[in-house]
Amino acid sequence: MAEVERISAEAARRKVQAGQALLACAYEDDAKCASMRLDGASTLSELRGRLSSLPSDREIILYCA
């Protein structure tokens, strides 16, 4: 399995604000994700529903608490 690249919260914020990345909560449970949802973040189920329409040049940043 490939190692996951970790970035700082500040770097994630810059990428999302610049339109270079999408932010998604990494929890499968939508209720759990809703309780920890950051501004502009998607749930995994929302992200999966949009996969075919997502730009291929945009990074996806997953977060969990």
Side-chain angles (χ1 to χ4, degrees):
M1 180 181 274
E3 188 170 327
V4 175
E5 180 183 345
R6 296 179 185 271
I7 64 172
S8 69
E10 294 81 18
R13 174 184 280 156
R14 281 193 304 274
K15 287 182 176 196
V16 171
Q17 288 178 338
Q20 300 170 335
L22 300 170
L23 188 62
C25 179
Y27 291 109
E28 294 280 345
D29 181 352
D30 284 348
K32 187 173 185 179
C33 192
S35 71
M36 299 177 202
R37 196 167 192 167
L38 299 176
D39 287 340
S42 299
T43 65
L44 277 181
S45 59
E46 291 169 344
L47 187 66
R48 285 184 183 121
R50 297 177 29 209
L51 278 179
S52 63
S53 65
L54 293 177
S56 61
D57 64 341
R58 196 158 308 160
E59 184 177 356
I60 298 173
I61 299 173
L62 300 174
Y63 72 91
C64 62

